[in-house]
Each structure stands twice: as C-alpha cells, then as structure tokens.
C-alpha cells in the first residue's frame, strides 16, 4: 500500500477482509451445491429407471437446494455490507487526503471532478473485493465439472474441456476491452461534473450575461463522448454475450453427443448422462461472468482515479511549539514559481511584530502569494518564512493554526449555521461572540431570524457581510492575522470601523493586510510595495507616496 493511501486493486480488495471469507465460503458452498445436485438427481433418475426407492435422493436434493438458497442470501448480504464499508472507508481516506493536501495539493483537480471521484468512483472501486472473490469462486464449478465428468467418462471431459477453452477466450477479450472503456467513461463523467460545478458557482454571472444556452452546450458537449463510451460498453457486452450464447450450447451439444454414444455402448447410465448434461451447463455458465468481470473493470478504473488523488502530498507539519514573541514575520530569500516563471523572486523582509503592515502593488505583483506564504497556505520553492524566529514548516499544526488566522476577499463559509461559520474547535461561544462584535458581524447576524442559529444556506448575505463573517472566523488568532483583500466589499463606514479595530488591536498581533485602498495603506505602520514578484519598496505610506509609480498603484 502506498504511504499516501490505498492505490492498488489488492489494497482496496483486502479492506473487506472481514466479509471476504464469508463471501468466499458462501460462494464455494454454492458451487459445492451446484456440483453435487446433478449427481444426486442422476442417482434419482437411475433409481426411477430401476424401480428402486428414490425418496432418499429427493430428500438430499431438497436439502441441497435449500442450502443453495441460504448461501445466496448470505452472499448478497455480505457482498452489500462489504461494498458499503469499503466505499465509506475510501471516501473518508480521499476526503482526508484532499483536506490534508491543502490548497496546493488539489490545485490540479477541478472541484466537480474531485466530487465525482469521491462520490461516484469510490462505489465502483469498492466492488474490488467481492468481485475478485466471486470470480475466483466461479472457477470451482467448471473445474469440478471437468473432474466429475472425467470420473463418469474421460471422453466426456475431453468434449467439455474444448468448449470451456472457447468460453475463457471470450471472457479474456471482454475483460481487456471493458477495462479501457470503463476508465474513459469515468473520466468523461468527471469532466462533466467539473463543468457543472463551475457553472453552478457562477450562475449569477451566466444569467446576467445571457449565456445560458452557451453554458448548456459547454457542459453537455461531453455527452456525445459519454454516450459513445456507454455504447461501446454495451457493444462489447452484447458481442461477448452472443459469443458465450453460441459457445455454451455447443459445449452442451458436444457433451450430450459423446454421452449419447457412451450410453448406447452401455458405458454410462441414463442418470450419468443427465448429470453430464448438467455439468456441461455449469461449465458453459462461465459466460455469465461477464457481469462480474465488468465490475472488476469498473473497480480498476475507480481505483486508478482514486490513486491520482492519493498521490497528493499532504502538507507536512513539524513538531516545534511557538515560543513567546511579538509576531515578527521574516521572509528569508523566498522564491515561488508557477510553471516557468517566478511569482515571487528572492524576497527578503523583516516585518516587526505587533504592527499593521499593508501589502500593495498592481495586479499580478504577487500580493496574494505573499499572504499565502505568511499563513502557510503554500510553501516557497526556495527560502523560508519564519514567525518569531521559527520556520512555519517546523511548527506543529496546532501551534500554527492557533497563532495564525486568515481572511479572504471571497470567503467560503462552511458549517450548518451562521455560528458554525465563525466558530471552530479552538473557539468557544464567548470568543465567537467577541470575534463577531470586533468585526461588526454581530450587527447583521443579530437581525437574522434565528441569529447565530440561522441555517447558513437560508441566511441572506451581501458580499460585505460574508467578508465580515470571514474576518470573525480569523479574528481569534493569537499572533498573526493575514487579510488578503478581506475588506474590499465592505462599505466605507464599516471598512473604517474595522480598520480602526485592526490598527488599535488590543491583542497587539501582527496584521498583514493585502489592500488596494489608499486609506488602508495610509493607516498602516508599514507598507510593503510589490511589483512583478519583487519588493520595490518598504516604508511608510507617506514616504512611498513621493514616488509617482507608487501613486499609480492606487489609480
């Protein structure tokens, strides 16, 4: 198993180890019943022909049939329970992997595609164990039939073996072709999910722009591909089913023909001929494995798509606590690349603790990247970021997330209620209320029908109100607040109130504020001016204002 998670068919199949023996035993017991029943019925036929008492054989046959029914019921229950448990396990691991990978880990995946992998493909992947056991157990009837036919008459076994080889050939071709189509089908489903998720997030823009029809065509543009892959699946299944339907009767005819000749010669009895015909049907029944082989193909495709998510490298945390300090933030030779270009290049900054620091610059200057580094939402490719002398990568997770809080321009609110969107594990009700009051979120939350208990989807909020909730969630941080344009949607009066709260922070935390507003930069203790990924200037707003290029940043 990979260090990142279950990435192989065997690893996923083995997770159902509690149920797999039950599935295997019931399948083998069912196969044993299927193999014993023809012989018992054959003896019944011989007893009837000889005028003997056949009640004993009928009783045994009835017991075998009852046993087969019980085995089938147990097999269905165990298979369902195994798939359900493995699906839940896979989903838990995948969600954990995505979350632990952080923003950078899932950057290469569309949100809709990730949802498709977690929700849909896991149920296919979970079929691995039961399907594999069922396939192995399905080998017992033809092998047992071959042995029992050889015991009745070797020529019957020869006729049977030739037909079974043809059936195996049909199944081999079906399995190889179905594996390719299943992966293509799941990948196309993921693309459609990604486009749909993207469109749902931008419904207001789509409606206002009048591009609904174009958006429908964009999303549904992959439907022909999905239809093609589905049609190919059915074609392969139909072709294999037709081939099996032809080969199966041929096996039966061959065995009956040979058996008829042996019966005429007196080498076998009528009951043995009847048993031989049933064994021939069992062997030809390998063709019915197309359904199970299809499940294995879909499971392999699902596991392959899950493996790509498990390949995400989780964000590694250190073990060090954060020593006492004012919140001094240091960027030591930091460089961040995006493809072939540098987003930030050789950044050296020593930012004082407890100060309000504004980060300004034109679009694309690297402001959000700098903020992300300070909050450790990403790591630099070169250099390091330190908080009070300790590299952020060396801090343990609890120390880092207790010390650093982040708020964004477009905050994503999570939770069941408005209160949930503000609070988290380290913050109780008292601190939640204090954070809401400090960021002026309490003003509008208290007017909601159920206040902080208002269900989040039913809480009407403007962009500014969402930003205030985002600020409230970040507010309890003990050492550093990173605000990435987090007040851009606020009205001027509220923005001034919050700016005053930030600059007069009684907790004396360091406040790193990405901003486009002149007033915010003017109120800051220090301004970092970025341009094209480099530091162009550091100083007070008044000092930098003497430069025309700096004034041009604010229009």
């Amino acid at each position: 198993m990979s260090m990142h998670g279950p990435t192989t068919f065997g690893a996923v199949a083995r997770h159902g180890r509690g149920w797999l023996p039950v599935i295997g035993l019931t399948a083998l017991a069912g196969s044993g019943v299927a193999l014993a029943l023809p012989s018992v019925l054959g003896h019944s036929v011989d007893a009837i022909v000889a005028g003997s008492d056949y009640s004993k054989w009928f009783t045994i046959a009835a017991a075998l049939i009852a046993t087969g029914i019980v085995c089938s019921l147990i097999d269905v229950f165990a298979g369902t329970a195994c798939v359900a448990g493995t699906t839940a396990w896979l989903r838990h691991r995948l969600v954990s992997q995505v979350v632990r990978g952080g923003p950078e880990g899932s950057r290469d995946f569309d949100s809709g595609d990730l949802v498709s992998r977690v929700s849909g493909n896991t149920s296919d992947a979970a079929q691995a164990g039961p399907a594999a056991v069922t396939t192995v157990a399905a080998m017992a009837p033809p092998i047992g039939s071959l042995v029992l036919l050889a015991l009745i008459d070797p020529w019957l076994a020869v006729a049977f073996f030739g037909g079974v080889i043809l059936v195996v050939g049909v199944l081999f071709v079906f399995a190889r072709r179905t594996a390719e189509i299943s992966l293509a089908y799941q990948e196309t489903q993921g693309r459609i999910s990604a486009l749909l998720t993207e469109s749902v997030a931008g419904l207001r823009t789509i409606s206002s722009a009048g591009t609904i029809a174009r958006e429908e065509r964009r999303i549904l543009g992959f439907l022909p591909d999905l239809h093609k892959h589905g049609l190919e699946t059915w074609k392969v299944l139909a072709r294999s089913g037709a081939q099996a339907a032809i080969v199966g009767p041929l096996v039966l005819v061959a065995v009956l023909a040979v058996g008829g000749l042996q019966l005429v010669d007196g080498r076998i009895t009528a009951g043995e001929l009847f048993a031989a015909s049933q064994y021939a049907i069992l062997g030809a029944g390998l063709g019915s494995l197309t359904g199970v082989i299809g499940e294995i193909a879909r499971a392999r495709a699902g596991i392959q798509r899950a493996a790509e998510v498990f390949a995400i490298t989780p964000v590694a945390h250190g073990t060090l606590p954060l020593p006492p300090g004012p919140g001094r933030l240091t960027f030591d030779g930091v460089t961040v690349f995006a493809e072939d270009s540098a987003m930030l290049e050789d950044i050296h900054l020593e930012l004082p603790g407890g100060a309000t620091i504004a980060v300004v610059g034109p679009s694309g200057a690297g402001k959000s990247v700098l903020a992300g580094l300070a909050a450790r939402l990403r790591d630099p490719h070169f250099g390091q970021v330190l908080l009070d002398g300790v590299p952020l990568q060396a801090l343990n997770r609890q120390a880092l997330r207790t010390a650093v809080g982040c708020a964004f321009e477009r905050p994503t609110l999570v939770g069941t209620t408005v209160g949930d969107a503000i609070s988290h594990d380290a913050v109780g009700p008292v601190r939640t209320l204090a954070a809401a009051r400090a960021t002026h979120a309490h003003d509008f939350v208290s007017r909601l029908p159920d206040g902080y208990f208002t269900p989040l989807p039913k809480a009407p909020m403007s962009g500014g109100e969402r930003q205030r909730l985002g600020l409230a969630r970040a507010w309890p941080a003990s050492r550093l607040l990173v605000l990435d344009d987090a007040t851009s949607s606020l009205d001027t009066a509220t923005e001034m109130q919050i700016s005053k709260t930030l600059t007069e922070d009684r907790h004396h935390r360091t406040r790193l504020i990405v901003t486009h507003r002149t007033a915010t930069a003017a109120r800051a203790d220090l301004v970092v001016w970025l341009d094209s990924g480099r530091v162009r200037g550091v100083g007070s707003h008044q000092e930098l204002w003497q430069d025309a290029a700096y004034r041009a940043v604010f229009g």
Side-chain angles (χ1 to χ4, degrees):
M1 184 179 294
S2 164
M3 66 178 289
H4 297 132
T7 57
T8 65
F9 188 93
V12 176
R14 284 193 297 273
H15 180 75
R17 62 174 64 91
W19 290 108
L20 294 183
V22 177
I23 296 170
L25 287 173
T26 54
L28 288 174
S31 298
V33 168
L35 289 169
L37 197 56
S39 179
V40 171
L41 293 176
H43 281 92
S44 299
V45 170
D46 286 339
I48 292 171
V49 171
S52 305
D53 182 18
Y54 53 81
S55 59
K56 177 183 72 173
W57 297 110
F58 270 23
T59 302
I60 295 174
L64 287 172
I65 292 170
T67 302
I69 292 172
V70 172
C71 288
S72 296
L73 293 173
I74 295 174
D75 182 62
V76 169
F77 176 82
T80 303
C82 180
V83 169
T86 304
T87 300
W89 171 70
L90 269 174
R91 286 174 178 167
H92 175 80
R93 297 293 297 274
L94 282 170
V95 170
S96 176
Q97 190 74 13
V98 171
V99 172
R100 290 179 180 277
E104 288 298 299
S106 58
R107 186 178 293 275
D108 294 334
F109 297 90
D110 290 310
S111 299
D113 183 44
L114 276 176
V115 171
S116 176
R117 292 171 191 252
V118 173
S119 61
N121 298 156
T122 48
S123 57
D124 288 328
Q127 298 283 348
V133 171
T134 301
T135 302
V136 172
M139 298 295 107
I143 294 172
S145 296
L146 182 64
V147 172
L148 292 171
L149 284 171
L151 293 175
I152 295 173
D153 186 274
W155 288 108
L156 292 175
V158 172
F160 174 81
F161 184 74
V164 168
I165 290 297
L166 292 176
V167 176
V168 171
V170 169
L171 292 177
F172 176 78
V173 174
F174 172 77
R176 187 177 61 182
R177 189 75 185 100
T178 302
E180 299 169 359
I181 298 171
S182 295
L183 180 59
Y185 190 90
Q186 290 184 8
E187 288 177 343
T188 305
Q189 279 184 319
R191 293 190 189 101
I192 293 174
S193 297
L195 292 174
L196 181 59
T197 303
E198 180 183 304
S199 295
V200 169
L203 275 181
R204 288 195 305 174
T205 302
I206 294 167
S207 298
S208 63
T211 57
I212 294 174
R214 187 176 69 186
E215 197 64 20
E216 287 179 354
R217 289 193 299 272
R218 189 173 77 96
I219 297 170
L220 301 180
F222 283 102
L223 276 185
D225 291 337
L226 198 66
H227 173 73
K228 183 184 74 173
H229 298 319
L231 197 60
E232 287 176 354
T233 300
W234 285 110
K235 283 180 178 178
V236 172
L237 182 60
R239 189 182 303 117
S240 301
Q243 291 168 344
I246 294 171
V247 174
L250 287 178
V251 176
L252 179 59
V253 169
V255 171
L256 287 177
V258 173
L261 293 174
Q262 301 301 77
L263 178 64
V264 171
D265 290 342
R267 295 180 180 176
I268 63 173
T269 65
E272 288 174 330
L273 178 60
F274 174 80
S277 68
Q278 297 303 301
Y279 290 134
I281 293 172
L282 276 178
L286 268 177
S288 64
L289 276 177
T290 50
V292 179
I293 291 174
E295 288 179 358
I296 290 178
R298 290 190 294 275
R300 286 189 178 278
I303 291 168
Q304 182 173 332
R305 282 172 58 75
E308 294 170 2
V309 179
F310 284 124
I312 294 174
T313 303
V315 176
H317 290 271
T319 58
L320 296 180
L322 190 62
R328 185 178 72 259
L329 192 59
T330 306
F331 292 84
D332 185 11
V334 168
T335 297
V336 177
F337 291 106
E339 297 180 354
D340 296 329
S341 60
M343 302 172 73
L344 289 177
E345 187 172 356
D346 197 27
I347 301 295
H348 291 270
L349 288 171
E350 188 73 37
L351 304 179
T356 302
I357 302 151
V359 181
V360 305
S363 179
K367 303 184 297 296
S368 291
V369 179
L370 189 79
L373 291 171
R376 214 203 155 192
L377 298 179
R378 65 190 305 162
D379 290 324
H381 293 96
F382 296 102
Q384 60 182 348
V385 182
L386 304 93
L387 183 60
D388 285 323
V390 181
L392 295 184
Q393 290 172 277
L395 290 173
N396 67 62
R397 184 192 300 270
Q398 180 67 25
L400 175 67
R401 293 306 163 206
T402 301
V404 182
C406 316
F408 310 97
E409 180 183 7
R410 296 182 182 88
T412 299
L413 304 179
V414 295
T416 305
T417 65
V418 172
D420 291 339
I422 301 175
S423 63
H424 47 88
D425 293 344
V427 180
V430 175
R431 293 186 67 190
T432 296
L433 183 60
R437 289 185 182 278
T439 56
H440 301 274
H442 181 74
D443 301 343
F444 76 89
V445 173
S446 60
R447 293 194 299 268
L448 293 173
D450 297 310
Y452 290 89
F453 297 99
T454 303
L456 199 54
K458 295 183 179 181
M461 283 183 285
S462 65
E465 288 169 341
R466 294 180 70 87
Q467 282 193 340
R468 278 186 266 174
L469 288 182
L471 284 165
R473 184 173 179 84
W475 193 256
S478 63
R479 194 78 59 97
L480 170 65
L481 280 173
V482 179
L483 310 182
D484 187 358
D485 217 11
T487 60
S488 59
S489 297
L490 300 179
D491 60 85
T492 304
T494 305
E495 196 271 340
M496 289 185 65
Q497 289 175 324
I498 292 177
S499 292
K500 183 179 180 182
T501 303
L502 285 169
T503 53
E504 298 176 0
D505 180 25
R506 61 186 179 85
H507 299 292
H508 305 293
R509 295 167 294 184
T510 304
R511 289 133 285 160
L512 187 71
I513 306 172
V514 174
T515 184
H516 295 92
R517 294 188 174 184
T518 310
T520 303
R523 283 192 292 268
D525 300 312
L526 190 68
V527 177
V528 175
W529 175 19
L530 295 179
D531 193 7
S532 300
R534 291 179 175 272
V535 176
R536 187 160 176 179
V538 178
S540 70
H541 177 70
Q542 289 75 17
E543 293 169 348
L544 296 174
W545 191 257
Q546 307 305 314
D547 192 321
Y550 178 80
R551 295 196 299 271
V553 170
F554 301 97

